[in-house]
Amino acid sequence: SYVLTQPPSVSVAPGKTARITCGGNNIGSKSVHWYQQKPGQAPVLVIYYDSDRPSGIPERFSGSNSGNTATLTISRVEAGDEADYYCQVWDSTSDHVVFGGGTKLTVL
Amino acid sequence: QITLKESGPTLVKPTQTLTLTCTFSGFSLSTSGVGVGWIRQPPGKALEWLALIYWNDDKRYSPSLKSRLTITKDTSKNQVVLTMTNMDPVDTATYYCSHRVSGWNCFDYWGQGTLVTVSS
């Protein structure tokens, strides 16, 4: 089955740019979606279709996808961005949803 | 405004069957493109997708859990029901239902989640 690989943790100073990667075999051929999850809360969709933002999501959140890596980029990081982030794709070969293992973003 | 809410038992015994209900508002599961999914999250662990049902009653299941899962919808009640058989302590998790983004198999609205503990 299709596997998505995320780094367990990423740290960034406030005001800087955080990049969270999601690796998968030829992931560039798939549409990647990203969720933010804060402790005790349900996940929130922050990016869909590689780089589109749902309404209400700040422009500081952006996404890209090419080759074997998709990336969620958070610009001008704020303390409130500290959360777990999950990538997700639809594996069309087996018709199911796949989540990455999640990345904990720490704002220093 | 789209809302979803999960309901069901908070404690089940090993080998029992879990039945969870997702009651939603703000959309109809009879509308083309609409879907509802179930995702779970064991304490301190990652999200795990379980099942997805579409407006046309098409259904998809996690390959690793397919033999234990059944997802159904009741359009008139605005509900989706997930059953999971032969529960085990490793199935202890928060279970979420969610609204599928039309045209994309991702989820833009989520319920608050319900914690299900499997223990004798």
Side-chain angles (χ1 to χ4, degrees):
Chain A
S1 62
Y2 195 76
V3 176
L4 295 174
T5 301
Q6 297 183 238
S9 63
V10 168
S11 298
V12 63
K16 300 299 185 182
T17 297
R19 295 180 179 84
I20 298 172
T21 59
C22 177
N25 184 32
N26 197 26
I27 195 173
S29 66
K30 302 181 184 299
S31 294
V32 180
H33 318 291
W34 291 91
Y35 301 86
Q36 173 194 71
Q37 186 181 32
K38 297 181 179 179
Q41 297 183 19
V44 172
L45 182 67
V46 294
I47 293 288
Y48 68 101
Y49 185 28
D50 294 343
S51 58
D52 285 354
R53 280 186 314 277
S55 61
I57 301 301
E59 291 184 5
R60 300 185 298 105
F61 289 81
S62 62
S64 62
N65 183 21
S66 178
N68 293 318
T69 305
T71 303
L72 173 68
T73 301
I74 309 172
S75 304
R76 302 181 299 283
V77 166
E78 304 172 355
D81 298 331
E82 190 163 280
D84 293 326
Y85 290 85
Y86 294 90
C87 58
Q88 180 243 304
V89 300
W90 174 257
D91 181 11
S92 57
T93 59
S94 52
D95 273 358
H96 67 273
V97 171
V98 180
F99 282 100
T103 297
K104 180 176 180 57
L105 177 67
T106 300
V107 181
L108 301 171
Chain B
Q1 179 189 2
I2 291 176
T3 65
L4 306 98
K5 187 172 184 178
E6 307 85 355
S7 59
T10 58
L11 179 66
V12 298
K13 290 180 167 47
T15 75
Q16 287 187 335
T17 294
L18 171 68
T19 299
L20 293 173
T21 300
C22 176
T23 303
F24 56 84
S25 63
F27 66 94
S28 171
L29 247 182
S30 60
T31 300
S32 179
V34 175
V36 170
W38 284 93
I39 296 100
R40 72 178 180 179
Q41 186 173 37
K45 295 189 177 181
L47 300 172
E48 179 183 19
W49 172 72
L50 300 176
L52 176 56
I53 189 165
Y54 296 91
W55 78 100
N56 59 1
D57 210 35
D58 199 6
K59 302 165 187 177
R60 296 291 183 266
Y61 296 100
S62 165
S64 62
L65 293 167
K66 185 174 184 177
S67 63
R68 299 173 53 204
L69 295 173
T70 302
I71 189 169
T72 60
K73 63 181 176 69
D74 186 330
T75 304
S76 64
K77 292 184 179 178
N78 280 351
Q79 290 181 333
V80 170
V81 175
L82 181 76
T83 61
M84 180 180 293
T85 61
N86 194 25
M87 293 292 285
D88 183 272
V90 300
D91 296 314
T92 294
T94 296
Y95 287 75
Y96 296 98
C97 66
S98 55
H99 171 268
R100 170 188 181 258
V101 175
S102 184
W104 301 103
N105 287 317
C106 61
F107 309 100
D108 55 354
Y109 292 91
W110 294 61
Q112 63 190 21
T114 185
L115 176 61
V116 177
T117 301
V118 184
S119 175
S120 55

